[in-house]
Amino acid sequence: MSAKVTFWPSGVGIEVKPGTSVLSAARKAGVLIQTRCGGNAACFMCKVKVRPGSDLMPIADEERRKLAGLEAEGYRLACQAKARGQVEVDVPLDPLRAAVQKLLAKQAEENDDLW
Ligand code: FES
Protein backbone atom coordinates (compact mmCIF):
# COMPACT_ATOMS: atom_id res chain seq x y z
CA MET A 1 0.00 0.00 0.00
CA SER A 2 1.28 3.46 -0.80
CA ALA A 3 0.37 7.02 -0.12
CA LYS A 4 0.23 9.85 -2.61
CA VAL A 5 0.99 13.49 -1.93
CA THR A 6 -0.14 16.16 -4.39
CA PHE A 7 1.15 19.70 -4.16
CA TRP A 8 -0.83 22.74 -5.23
CA PRO A 9 -0.79 25.08 -7.10
CA SER A 10 1.56 23.06 -9.32
CA GLY A 11 -0.52 19.86 -9.20
CA VAL A 12 2.64 17.76 -9.00
CA GLY A 13 2.02 14.49 -7.18
CA ILE A 14 4.19 11.63 -6.00
CA GLU A 15 3.60 8.14 -4.59
CA VAL A 16 5.43 7.53 -1.33
CA LYS A 17 5.55 4.97 1.43
CA PRO A 18 3.01 5.61 4.20
CA GLY A 19 4.77 7.48 7.00
CA THR A 20 6.78 9.65 4.63
CA SER A 21 6.78 13.30 5.64
CA VAL A 22 5.19 15.83 3.31
CA LEU A 23 8.56 17.60 3.17
CA SER A 24 10.36 14.42 2.03
CA ALA A 25 7.66 13.83 -0.57
CA ALA A 26 8.10 17.42 -1.81
CA ARG A 27 11.82 16.96 -2.16
CA LYS A 28 11.36 13.70 -4.08
CA ALA A 29 8.81 15.39 -6.33
CA GLY A 30 11.02 18.42 -6.93
CA VAL A 31 8.60 20.80 -5.21
CA LEU A 32 10.26 23.60 -3.28
CA ILE A 33 9.17 24.06 0.32
CA GLN A 34 11.28 26.60 2.17
CA THR A 35 13.01 25.40 5.32
CA ARG A 36 15.70 26.72 7.55
CA CYS A 37 15.90 24.14 10.33
CA GLY A 38 16.39 21.06 8.18
CA GLY A 39 13.11 19.45 9.21
CA ASN A 40 13.40 19.77 12.98
CA ALA A 41 10.11 21.58 13.61
CA ALA A 42 12.01 24.69 14.63
CA CYS A 43 11.82 27.24 11.81
CA PHE A 44 8.09 27.18 11.01
CA MET A 45 8.91 27.91 7.35
CA CYS A 46 7.57 24.62 5.97
CA LYS A 47 3.97 25.39 6.90
CA VAL A 48 1.49 24.06 4.30
CA LYS A 49 -2.29 24.05 4.18
CA VAL A 50 -3.77 20.59 3.99
CA ARG A 51 -6.86 20.21 1.83
CA PRO A 52 -9.94 18.61 3.41
CA GLY A 53 -10.19 14.84 2.99
CA SER A 54 -6.42 14.33 3.09
CA ASP A 55 -5.22 11.26 4.96
CA LEU A 56 -2.32 12.14 7.26
CA MET A 57 -1.01 10.38 10.36
CA PRO A 58 -2.38 11.99 13.54
CA ILE A 59 -0.67 15.22 14.58
CA ALA A 60 1.93 14.87 17.34
CA ASP A 61 1.86 17.04 20.47
CA GLU A 62 5.12 18.79 19.51
CA GLU A 63 3.75 19.86 16.13
CA ARG A 64 0.44 20.94 17.68
CA ARG A 65 2.34 23.09 20.17
CA LYS A 66 4.34 24.72 17.34
CA LEU A 67 1.25 25.45 15.27
CA ALA A 68 -0.49 27.04 18.25
CA GLY A 69 -4.00 26.71 16.84
CA LEU A 70 -3.23 27.03 13.11
CA GLU A 71 -3.84 23.29 12.77
CA ALA A 72 -7.54 24.03 13.26
CA GLU A 73 -7.37 26.03 10.00
CA GLY A 74 -5.75 23.10 8.20
CA TYR A 75 -2.11 24.11 8.54
CA ARG A 76 0.58 21.52 9.20
CA LEU A 77 4.35 21.54 9.27
CA ALA A 78 5.48 19.67 6.15
CA CYS A 79 8.49 18.29 8.01
CA GLN A 80 6.26 16.72 10.69
CA ALA A 81 3.08 15.77 8.82
CA LYS A 82 3.26 12.21 7.54
CA ALA A 83 1.20 10.83 4.71
CA ARG A 84 -1.01 7.82 5.34
CA GLY A 85 -3.06 7.81 2.12
CA GLN A 86 -4.14 10.45 -0.38
CA VAL A 87 -2.89 13.87 0.66
CA GLU A 88 -3.29 17.25 -1.03
CA VAL A 89 -1.53 20.34 0.24
CA ASP A 90 -1.32 23.96 -0.81
CA VAL A 91 2.23 25.24 -0.70
CA PRO A 92 2.43 28.97 0.04
CA LEU A 93 4.61 31.07 -2.24
CA ASP A 94 7.95 31.90 -0.73
CA PRO A 95 7.95 35.53 0.48
CA LEU A 96 10.41 36.77 -2.16
CA ARG A 97 8.46 35.24 -5.03
CA ALA A 98 5.19 36.59 -3.59
CA ALA A 99 6.70 40.09 -3.41
CA VAL A 100 7.93 39.90 -7.02
CA GLN A 101 4.54 38.67 -8.25
CA LYS A 102 2.77 41.48 -6.40
CA LEU A 103 5.13 44.03 -7.95
CA LEU A 104 4.63 42.60 -11.45
CA ALA A 105 0.84 42.64 -11.03
CA LYS A 106 0.95 46.27 -9.90
CA GLN A 107 3.17 47.17 -12.85
CA ALA A 108 0.79 45.42 -15.27
CA GLU A 109 -2.13 47.36 -13.75
CA GLU A 110 -0.29 50.64 -14.21
CA ASN A 111 0.53 49.76 -17.81
CA ASP A 112 -3.18 49.07 -18.45
CA ASP A 113 -4.04 52.50 -17.08
CA LEU A 114 -1.86 54.09 -19.78
CA TRP A 115 -4.10 52.76 -22.53
S1 FES B 1 11.47 22.49 8.26
FE1 FES B 1 11.63 23.89 9.90
S2 FES B 1 9.74 23.67 10.91
FE2 FES B 1 9.61 22.25 9.30
Side-chain angles (χ1 to χ4, degrees), residues 2 5 11 14 29-30 33 35 43 48 50 61 69 72 76 80 85-86 94 99-101 110:
S2 66
V5 184
I14 188 164
I33 295 179
T35 72
C43 70
V48 293
V50 178
D61 290 344
R76 295 288 302 268
Q80 303 301 304
Q86 299 290 315
D94 75 79
V100 169
Q101 282 189 354
E110 288 171 2

Side-chain angles (χ1 to χ4, degrees), residues 2-113:
S2 66
K4 182 176 182 189
V5 184
T6 304
F7 300 92
W8 298 101
S10 68
V12 171
I14 188 164
E15 301 253 344
V16 293
K17 282 190 211 161
T20 302
S21 75
V22 171
L23 182 60
S24 293
R27 287 179 173 158
K28 285 180 187 159
V31 173
L32 179 66
I33 295 179
Q34 298 282 331
T35 72
R36 198 167 281 164
C37 72
N40 293 314
C43 70
F44 207 65
M45 291 180 71
C46 67
K47 188 170 41 110
V48 293
K49 189 157 191 180
V50 178
R51 291 192 172 184
S54 293
D55 188 11
L56 289 166
M57 303 278 184
I59 189 168
D61 290 344
E62 173 72 10
E63 183 186 358
R64 190 182 305 278
R65 217 174 4 260
K66 294 278 182 193
L67 286 167
L70 283 177
E71 74 280 8
E73 296 173 32
Y75 286 98
R76 295 288 302 268
L77 295 178
C79 67
Q80 303 301 304
K82 294 178 175 54
R84 185 163 52 190
Q86 299 290 315
V87 176
E88 299 202 23
V89 298
D90 289 295
V91 180
L93 281 179
D94 75 79
L96 180 60
R97 183 178 281 183
V100 169
Q101 282 189 354
K102 193 174 172 182
L103 203 61
L104 289 173
K106 186 178 175 191
Q107 204 168 39
E109 246 176 56
E110 288 171 2
N111 287 345
D112 284 347
D113 288 346

